[in-house]
Amino acid sequence: MTSEKLIFVATLNKKVLSLLKLKDEELKVYRSKGLLAHILKRKHFKAAKYLDYISDIIENPDYAGMTDSQIELVKIFKDNIFLSIKLDAVKKLYYVATMFDVSLSKINAYCKSGRLIKLDKSHPSDIIRMKFDEQERHPALPNGNLI
């Protein structure tokens, strides 16, 4: 991926960087000019409609996480859009690797497994990690036994 084929799209929110325990002060994200072709080739037609909203997904995600050195972000629009950001270690820059629509049940499963963290938008100065209470996942009967 040559730099002349890259387009700057956004800077990742510093609070998300902190939440993901990334030490970067600022993380600029690029996309290739061929991203739309990649999305269409993989038949992610719903996600293709949101190509112009990549900066909003990166700057204001509803969910964030890291897997295998990839930053994963989800933004809830009419469709739920999952965006993956990878590091090009040679060029030392971050780029949008892919984006696709994802179901709410899949988002919930990713949250339960710890892969994604729901970002609390009610306190703009703080992004709070939403934790699942053990009793919410395993409700107990009145006698104390797990269901």
Side-chain angles (χ1 to χ4, degrees):
M1 187 178 328
T2 61
S3 58
E4 51 276 351
K5 292 183 180 179
L6 295 176
I7 302 165
F8 171 77
V9 286
T11 302
L12 191 60
N13 183 321
K14 288 180 184 179
K15 292 177 182 169
V16 173
L17 288 173
S18 174
L19 180 73
L20 298 176
K21 297 179 174 70
L22 294 171
K23 296 180 179 164
D24 298 288
E25 190 65 30
E26 183 178 83
L27 197 145
K28 292 183 177 184
V29 181
Y30 299 84
R31 75 166 182 90
S32 73
K33 290 182 180 178
L35 180 62
L36 179 60
H38 163 81
I39 292 168
L40 294 175
K41 181 178 178 182
R42 287 174 177 57
K43 301 185 187 324
H44 300 309
F45 302 118
K46 286 184 182 178
K49 297 186 299 185
Y50 295 94
L51 193 65
D52 292 336
Y53 296 93
I54 289 178
S55 61
D56 188 35
I57 297 168
I58 293 169
E59 293 169 354
N60 302 298
D62 294 310
Y63 298 85
M66 284 204 61
T67 303
D68 300 326
S69 303
Q70 294 182 73
I71 299 169
E72 297 177 333
L73 305 172
V74 175
K75 181 75 175 173
I76 308 300
F77 295 105
K78 180 180 175 190
D79 301 298
N80 308 318
I81 302 300
F82 186 104
L83 185 138
S84 178
I85 299 171
K86 286 186 178 181
L87 169 66
D88 181 330
V90 174
K91 296 188 173 73
K92 298 187 181 183
L93 57 86
Y94 291 87
Y95 66 96
V96 175
T98 193
M99 60 188 285
F100 52 89
D101 64 297
V102 63
S103 69
L104 191 55
S105 61
K106 184 64 91 173
I107 293 170
N108 290 333
Y110 287 159
C111 287
K112 282 186 180 181
S113 72
R115 180 173 173 175
L116 287 177
I117 300 164
K118 182 175 174 72
L119 305 178
D120 184 358
K121 304 290 181 139
S122 63
H123 300 97
S125 61
D126 296 313
I127 292 180
I128 301 168
R129 182 176 182 156
M130 304 299 285
K131 294 184 179 180
F132 285 90
D133 184 17
E134 196 61 32
Q135 287 192 353
E136 284 182 38
R137 286 190 282 164
H138 304 291
L141 294 171
N143 63 5
N145 294 332
L146 294 178
I147 295 175

